[in-house]
């Protein structure tokens, strides 16, 4: 009986459920897209290319491990290294006696870029390791002399040509003696030249194990594992070879887990909030119908059951196509992440039914929960009061709703306090968005009070205008409870959009300001593949040059905390990191400088011993000689250049800062002309830029902005469409279409002003706490034009969402509308 009544209601009131359907469809799409990203982070893999020809590869462990003891339990936690870990070459000798091995092939990998049009940055290898793919010569011969190379690319370079290659030293000219095919673009050198360029004496990147024909690979893997036991080596087989080759894919997977979880959680919270508001508005529009059911003896339980089944039906109808739409969104997100460099091209999405099932289940559950919550008051009305309650909107706001709103408001204040104490982006960002959602919950619950207050403030100026303004003031005052469901998406749209956009602008502006204030050099050298040491030495010899600082960047850990870091030679007046304690003049071998944030996390003071885990996993204990303020602009850890360069994949300086007189410009230009691939820029051109992960976060969170915009339009359109009888009565009373539209425009502007004011207050308070913790100042950076743009877009969307349905409603004969809704 209840089920058939619910289905009949859906068939006859399609328009009433259209808004809920759209909100649930968008929610399912967001949840499914986040689920695909999360699953890719957990289970995604990359195809093996470089090591496709060898089933067993031995390399150093590319993960950092530490043990945590808690409540009598031991847990091992692992994180991928940010730089490549190298393996002792002596492991090769351990493998040669293993039965079933046909060949043991050591491999070295180092950056090698051909400085010519059409050649992208690539990796260099010894030709002896080409069979690990395997590469095959399609033309020419293998390199034999130190000045010979084989290219594996399709750029039009011919055998016999001379090319300039930027590897780990000064750019050098090599003769192309062969062209290879069979794997990714690479540059192959003779074995001796490759070892020289790799620079890790007695170390190898990996060791390929080629089995004899007929050898069981699983048995060989076990034997190899036993042979390398105790050396710190790890054996890679199957899909693991791809993760060893594309190490950035492992880091990208970790980013996807974090991003997918954070975005999915935020999306689900926003979706529940939006869906609750949509169903509340939908049920409010059906007060008369539900009142009739109560008057004919329907029990509260039956009413709630009917509404719950309606929600389940709408949830299923909306979530299934929404979940499949989420797959398209996931593919779009991946393409954008690849374009930003946050994901490697080789990492494809992992697809399974689980994200779709989760999206359908959570969205349907959200619909059912929202409907049950929204129907509580209506279902409890006594039958004798039902029709009267439907005819007149209640003036008082329920005590339970008010108390819940005050609790949510208190939770928002607590989160603001917590947020002020967080000084790392990984910790602060999730709390930031949760804070906005909790504030939106408080607004949704306290909406009638806010709307009444806004109506009282707007009543005076509106009454000074003619009829439409007076009617708008009366309507907003009388319909405060119903209009509160419209204020919530307005507040959410402004607060969420402002927070998402200005979190990044606040961090980016602070980093750029620190970089601008701390970069005191007049010039800088940059290169396509880095700046070689020889160029820095040549710049030091130019008359008028007062100081040259080489800078190489990496990411490392102090304890378990990960920080961006830099290695520098002596600052010589080129850098001012804002030292608070100690001196960077003492930054020599065996020393380290930390930002105030990193030093506070470790409770470290000048003179203390600090253990740093380099990007390749090597632990170094250094003496703290300086604590500085400008960590956002330059990284939280500063070490001697040579130490960092020895533990990164690309050891060349990313930038060389130069303190010089204007007269030195000509000499520096000569240095640039003598070294291919270099460029001379002024000091003002060296700026901190947002990381790819931050841009990826912004792209992903943009979906939340789009969802809130859709919910705003959806809610306003539903609210306007429900007023057909009221608008028709105004027309019968003599109001013209233009006057009615002007009245609606005034009402919408009052609501927009309320939403913008409250949303701006929420965003500012949240961003202020975020900035206080992350930047050290309570003033966030919000470009005025961007703020005006948000207000303008929200206002245009609100006016359009009101005016378009109203014009449709006003086309009908007002007498027919009144009779139909009576």
């Amino acid at each position: 009986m209840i089920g058939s009544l619910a289905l009949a209601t859906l068939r006859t009131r399609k328009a009433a459920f259209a808004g809920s359907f759209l909100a649930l469809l968008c929610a399912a799409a967001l949840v499914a897209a986040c689920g695909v990203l999360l699953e890719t982070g957990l289970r995604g893999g990359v195809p093996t290319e470089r090591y496709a020809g060898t089933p067993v590869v031995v390399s150093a462990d590319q993960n950092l491990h530490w043990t945590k003891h808690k409540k009598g339990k031991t847990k091992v936690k692992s994180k991928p290294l940010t730089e490549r870990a190298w393996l002792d070459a002596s492991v090769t000798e351990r493998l040669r006696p293993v039965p079933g091995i046909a060949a043991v092939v050591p491999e070295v990998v180092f950056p090698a870029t051909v400085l010519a049009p059409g050649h992208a940055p690539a990796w260099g290898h010894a030709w002896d390791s080409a069979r690990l793919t395997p590469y095959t010569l399609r033309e020419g011969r293998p390199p034999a002399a130190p000045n010979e190379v084989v290219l594996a690319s399709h750029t039009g370079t011919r055998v016999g040509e001379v090319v300039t290659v930027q590897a780990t030293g000064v750019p050098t000219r090599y003769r192309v003696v062969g062209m290879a095919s069979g794997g990714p673009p690479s540059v192959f050198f003779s074995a001796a030249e490759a070892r020289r360029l790799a620079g890790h004496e007695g170390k190898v990147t990996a060791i390929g194990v080629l089995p004899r024909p007929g050898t069981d690979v699983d048995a060989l893997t076990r034997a190899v594992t036993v042979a390398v036991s105790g050396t710190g080596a790890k054996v890679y087989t199957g899909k693991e070879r791809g993760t060893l080759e594309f190490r950035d894919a492992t880091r990208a997977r970790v980013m996807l887990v974090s991003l997918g979880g954070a975005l999915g959680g935020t999306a689900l919270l926003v979706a529940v909030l939006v869906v609750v508001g949509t169903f509340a508005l939908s049920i409010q529009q059906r007060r008369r119908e539900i009142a009739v059911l109560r008057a004919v003896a329907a029990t509260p339980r039956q009413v709630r059951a009917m509404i719950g089944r309606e929600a389940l039906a709408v949830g299923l109808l909306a979530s299934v196509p929404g979940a499949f739409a989420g797959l398209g969104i996931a593919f779009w997100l991946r393409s954008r992440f690849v374009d930003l460099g946050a994901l490697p091209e080789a990492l494809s999405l992992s697809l399974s039914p689980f994200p779709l099932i989760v999206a359908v289940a959570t969205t349907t559950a959200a619909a059912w929960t929202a409907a049950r919550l929204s129907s509580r008051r209506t279902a409890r009305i006594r039958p004798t009061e039902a029709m009267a309650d439907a005819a007149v909107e209640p003036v008082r706001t329920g005590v339970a709703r008010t108390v819940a709103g005050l609790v949510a408001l208190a939770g928002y204040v607590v989160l603001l306090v917590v947020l002020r104490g967080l000084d790392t982006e990984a910790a602060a960002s999730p709390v930031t968005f949760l804070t906005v959602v909790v504030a939106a919950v408080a607004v949704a619950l306290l909406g009638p009070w806010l709307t009444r207050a806004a109506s009282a403030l707007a009543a005076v100026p509106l009454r000074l205008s003619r009829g439409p303004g007076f009617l708008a003031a009366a309507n907003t005052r009388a319909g405060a409870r119903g209009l509160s469901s419209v204020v919530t998406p307005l507040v959410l749209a402004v607060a969420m959009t402002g927070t998402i956009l200005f979190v990044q602008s606040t961090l980016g502006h602070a980093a750029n300001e620190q970089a601008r204030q701390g970069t005191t050099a007049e010039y800088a050298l940059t290169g396509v593949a880095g700046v070689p040491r020889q160029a820095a030495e040549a710049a030091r010899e130019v008359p008028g040059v007062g100081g040259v600082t080489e800078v190489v960047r990496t990411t490392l850990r102090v304890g378990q905390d990960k920080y961006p870091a830099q290695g520098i030679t002596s600052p010589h007046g080129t850098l001012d990191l804002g030292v608070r304690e100690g001196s960077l003049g003492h930054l020599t071998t065996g020393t380290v400088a930390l930002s105030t944030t990193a030093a506070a996390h470790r409770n470290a003071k000048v003179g203390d011993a600090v253990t740093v885990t380099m990007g390749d996993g090597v632990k170094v204990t250094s003496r703290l000689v300086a604590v500085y303020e400008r960590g956002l602009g330059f990284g939280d850890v500063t070490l001697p250049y040579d130490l960092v360069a020895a533990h990164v994949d690309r050891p060349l300086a990313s930038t060389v800062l130069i303190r010089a007189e204007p007269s030195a410009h000509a000499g520096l230009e000569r240095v640039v002309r003598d070294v291919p691939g270099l460029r001379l820029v002024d000091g003002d051109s060296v700026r901190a830029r947002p990381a790819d992960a931050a841009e990826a976060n912004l792209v992903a969170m943009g979906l939340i902005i789009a969802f809130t915009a859709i919910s705003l339009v959806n809610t306003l359109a539903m609210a306007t469409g429900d007023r057909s009888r009221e608008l028709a009565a105004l027309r019968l009373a003599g109001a013209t279409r233009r006057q009615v539209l002007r009245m609606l425009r005034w009402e919408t502007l009052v609501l927009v002003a309320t939403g913008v004011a409250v949303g701006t207050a929420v965003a500012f308070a949240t961003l202020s706490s975020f900035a206080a913790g992350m930047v050290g100042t309570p003033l966030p950076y919000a470009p005025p034009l961007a703020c005006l743009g948000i207000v303008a877009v929200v206002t245009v969307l609100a006016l359009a969402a009101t005016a378009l349905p109203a014009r449709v409603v006003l086309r009908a004969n007002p007498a027919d509308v009144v009779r139909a809704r009576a």
Side-chain angles (χ1 to χ4, degrees):
M1 175 66 181
I2 295 175
S4 60
L5 184 58
L7 292 176
T9 303
L10 290 176
R11 284 195 299 268
T12 57
R13 296 183 62 90
K14 297 183 181 68
F17 291 99
S20 301
F21 178 89
L22 180 60
L24 291 167
L25 186 143
C26 294
L30 278 177
V31 174
C34 297
V36 172
L37 295 182
L38 185 60
E39 185 177 20
T40 301
L42 294 173
R43 302 196 306 113
V46 293
T48 304
E49 295 182 7
R50 178 70 184 96
Y51 301 122
T54 175
V56 181
V57 182
V58 178
S59 180
D61 191 350
Q62 302 298 321
N63 289 283
L64 182 66
H65 309 278
W66 58 81
T67 303
K68 298 181 69 174
H69 302 280
K70 188 176 182 180
K71 296 181 179 180
K73 296 182 180 179
T74 300
K75 183 179 180 181
V76 177
K77 193 172 183 179
S78 301
K79 293 290 183 181
L81 295 171
T82 56
E83 308 285 353
R84 180 180 289 108
W86 288 66
L87 182 66
D88 197 298
S90 63
V91 176
T92 305
E93 302 305 320
R94 286 193 174 213
L95 294 173
R96 297 191 190 280
V98 175
I101 293 181
V104 176
V105 183
E107 154 92 320
V108 292
V109 179
F110 51 92
T113 301
V114 178
L115 300 179
H119 289 269
W123 296 101
H125 313 270
W127 176 254
D128 295 347
S129 64
R131 54 179 169 164
L132 298 179
T133 304
Y135 285 91
T136 57
L137 280 172
R138 69 174 189 269
E139 185 181 356
R141 61 173 176 81
N147 65 337
E148 295 177 344
V149 293
V150 168
L151 299 183
S153 62
H154 305 280
T155 57
T157 305
R158 298 178 181 275
V159 172
E161 292 185 19
V162 175
V163 296
T164 300
V165 179
Q166 173 72 78
T168 57
V170 67
T172 306
R173 293 167 66 83
Y174 293 88
R175 182 173 299 278
V176 179
V177 297
M179 300 297 294
S181 60
S186 301
V187 182
F188 290 98
F189 301 81
S190 64
E193 180 71 357
R195 287 195 298 271
R196 183 187 73 83
L197 292 174
H200 291 261
E201 188 67 29
K203 301 281 187 178
V204 295
T205 302
I207 303 171
V209 178
L210 301 176
R212 293 174 181 170
T215 301
D216 182 76
V217 175
D218 291 337
L220 179 62
T221 301
R222 291 192 291 271
V224 168
T225 302
V226 172
V228 301
S229 177
T231 65
K234 183 177 178 180
V235 180
Y236 296 82
T237 60
K239 293 182 179 180
E240 293 178 336
R241 296 171 298 162
T243 62
L244 176 62
E245 178 183 352
F246 298 101
R247 293 175 45 259
D248 53 346
T250 302
R251 295 192 294 269
R253 287 175 55 193
V254 174
M255 184 270 289
L256 286 180
V257 171
S258 175
L259 181 62
L263 178 61
T266 304
L268 192 58
L269 288 173
V270 172
V272 169
L273 186 61
V274 169
V275 170
V276 166
T278 305
F279 265 101
L281 187 58
S282 175
I283 292 173
Q284 180 184 335
Q285 294 172 355
R286 299 170 56 197
R287 290 197 312 271
R288 182 179 295 272
E289 171 191 323
I290 295 172
V292 170
L293 291 175
R294 290 290 289 123
V296 296
T299 66
R301 182 176 180 180
Q302 289 174 324
V303 171
R304 287 196 299 268
M306 178 193 71
I307 294 174
R309 293 183 187 185
E310 291 171 359
L312 288 176
V314 175
L316 285 173
L317 290 173
S319 60
V320 172
F324 282 100
L327 296 179
I329 294 175
F331 277 100
W332 178 81
L333 283 173
R334 178 191 174 275
S335 67
R336 294 295 301 128
F337 292 164
V338 170
D339 292 341
L340 291 171
L343 284 187
E345 181 69 37
L347 181 61
S348 57
L349 294 178
S350 294
L351 300 178
S352 76
F354 294 108
L356 303 182
I357 294 172
V358 170
V360 171
T362 54
T363 306
T364 304
W368 183 85
T369 304
R372 298 283 288 194
L373 289 174
S374 303
S375 63
R376 288 179 70 250
R377 182 187 178 281
T378 304
R380 288 201 308 266
I381 297 173
R382 287 177 292 185
T384 56
E385 300 174 352
M387 293 302 295
D389 185 82
V392 180
E393 181 177 285
V395 176
R396 296 182 59 187
T397 302
V399 175
R401 177 173 181 170
T402 302
V403 171
L406 293 175
V407 171
L409 184 60
Y412 172 65
V413 174
V414 170
L415 287 174
L416 289 179
V417 174
V418 172
L419 191 56
R420 294 180 71 88
L422 301 177
D423 55 9
T424 61
E425 190 174 3
S429 292
V431 177
T432 301
F433 299 119
L434 176 62
T435 303
V436 175
V437 173
V438 172
V441 171
V443 170
L445 293 170
L446 300 175
W449 296 100
L450 289 173
T451 309
R452 291 190 189 104
S455 302
L457 290 174
V460 176
L462 287 177
R463 285 171 180 169
L464 296 177
S465 64
R466 295 184 178 181
F470 180 84
L471 288 175
N475 281 339
T476 53
R477 185 177 64 255
R481 183 184 178 91
L483 293 176
S484 65
S485 60
V486 178
V487 171
T488 301
L490 281 165
V491 171
L492 188 61
V494 174
M496 189 62 75
T497 302
T499 303
I500 289 172
L501 293 180
F502 301 142
V503 156
Q504 300 302 330
S505 68
T506 297
L507 283 179
H509 181 262
N512 286 333
E513 278 297 300
Q514 290 186 9
R516 183 185 63 80
Q517 295 170 7
T519 302
T520 55
E522 285 79 17
Y523 301 98
L525 294 177
T526 61
V528 175
V531 183
R533 171 64 60 87
Q534 291 84 346
E537 294 295 341
R540 288 188 176 94
E541 301 300 323
V542 174
V545 171
V548 174
T549 302
E550 299 165 72
V551 182
V552 61
R553 302 192 185 280
T554 186
T555 302
L556 45 72
R557 291 182 184 271
V558 181
Q560 297 178 12
D561 298 324
K562 185 166 68 173
Y563 297 105
Q566 63 178 355
I568 62 172
T569 54
S570 181
H572 288 303
T574 58
L575 284 175
D576 178 9
L577 303 187
V579 175
R580 291 182 57 183
E581 300 177 38
S583 171
L584 285 177
H586 300 147
L587 190 67
T588 57
T589 302
T591 62
V592 64
L594 299 178
S595 70
T596 51
T597 298
H601 284 182
R602 306 303 301 171
N603 195 25
K605 299 179 180 179
V606 172
D608 291 351
V610 177
T611 300
V612 176
T613 304
M614 305 301 293
D616 60 356
V618 175
K619 293 184 182 295
V620 177
T621 300
S622 302
R623 182 171 57 88
L624 181 62
V625 296
V627 177
Y628 55 90
E629 292 181 337
R630 295 179 177 138
L632 281 175
F634 297 96
D636 290 296
V637 183
T638 299
L639 290 161
Y641 177 91
D642 290 335
L643 173 61
V644 176
H647 297 279
V648 296
D649 297 343
R650 301 182 182 275
L652 295 185
S654 58
T655 307
V656 173
L657 302 173
I658 303 172
R659 183 72 182 270
E661 300 293 334
S663 60
H665 186 272
L668 294 173
E669 288 284 5
R670 285 194 297 272
V671 171
V672 171
R673 287 195 298 270
D674 292 341
V675 181
L678 287 192
R679 189 164 64 98
L680 180 67
V681 299
D682 58 71
D684 291 338
S685 300
V686 183
R687 290 288 184 269
R689 287 174 171 79
D692 292 333
E695 294 185 22
N697 287 338
L698 189 58
V699 170
M701 295 303 291
L703 295 176
I704 303 294
I705 296 176
F707 183 38
T708 56
I710 291 172
S711 69
L712 168 63
V713 173
N714 183 27
T715 305
L716 282 168
M718 288 179 62
T720 304
D722 183 54
R723 299 176 64 182
S724 58
R725 186 170 184 270
E726 172 193 340
L727 301 182
L730 288 172
R731 292 280 290 115
L732 290 176
T736 65
R737 286 189 177 89
R738 183 178 179 183
Q739 288 174 325
V740 172
L741 290 174
R742 286 180 61 192
M743 179 199 73
L744 292 174
R745 193 179 303 122
W746 279 115
E747 289 181 14
T748 303
L749 289 175
V750 170
L751 295 176
V752 168
T754 305
V756 167
V758 177
T760 301
V762 169
F764 179 81
T766 304
L767 290 168
S768 179
S769 293
F770 175 85
M774 289 294 301
V775 182
T777 173
L779 294 177
Y781 179 73
L785 287 179
C787 296
L788 291 175
I790 293 174
V791 174
V793 170
V794 168
T795 303
V796 170
L797 288 176
L799 290 173
T802 303
L804 294 178
R807 290 182 181 277
V808 174
V809 168
L810 292 174
R811 287 197 188 109
N813 187 308
D816 294 339
V817 173
V818 171
R819 281 195 297 269
R821 296 294 300 271

